């Protein structure tokens, strides 16, 4: 997983464990991106784009199942909507 911010000339790569699923790797990548956005960027008048090729993860973030979600989905939602 990685973060790339051309305006700040910033990139960072994160390793994942060998047995992690693609679904959870995508969740972790999106979470790391939202952390970066909240901690390092002045969001005033900025357009932020997070790319993901995992449609199931994107759907879970926008339409969470209240009973069966990993806690990281709630962390992502808190970061995006606060």
């Amino acid at each position: 997983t990685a973060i790339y911010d051309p305006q700040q000339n910033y990139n960072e790569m994160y390793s994942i464990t060998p047995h992690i699923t693609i679904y959870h790797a995508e969740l972790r990548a999106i979470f790391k991106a939202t952390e970066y956005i909240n901690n390092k960027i002045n969001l005033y008048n900025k357009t932020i784009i997070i790319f993901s090729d995992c449609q199931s993860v994107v759907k879970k973030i926008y339409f969470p199942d209240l009973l069966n979600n990993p806690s990281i989905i709630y962390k992502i939602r808190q970061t995006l909507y606060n």
Side-chain angles (χ1 to χ4, degrees):
T1 61
I3 295 172
Y4 175 63
D5 181 351
Q7 279 98 16
Q8 301 293 323
N9 194 27
Y10 177 85
N11 62 51
E12 189 168 348
M13 294 180 69
Y14 302 94
S15 61
I16 56 174
T17 60
H19 303 293
I20 194 168
T21 65
I22 293 171
Y23 180 85
H24 285 93
E26 285 288 329
L27 278 174
R28 185 171 188 263
I30 292 171
F31 178 67
K32 287 293 190 182
T34 60
E35 274 188 328
Y36 173 77
I37 291 164
N38 274 346
N39 294 330
K40 299 192 178 183
I41 297 177
N42 175 3
L43 296 178
Y44 181 74
N45 253 356
K46 298 271 182 162
T47 299
I48 306 295
I49 300 170
I50 299 174
F51 292 97
S52 174
D53 62 353
C54 189
Q55 184 179 16
S56 60
V57 166
V58 174
K59 283 183 177 180
K60 273 293 187 193
I61 291 168
Y62 284 101
F63 307 108
D65 176 355
L66 297 176
L67 300 175
N68 298 314
N69 271 334
S71 63
I72 193 167
I73 289 177
Y74 293 111
K75 290 177 184 176
I76 292 168
R77 288 180 58 80
Q78 285 178 331
T79 305
L80 290 173
Y81 298 118
N82 286 335

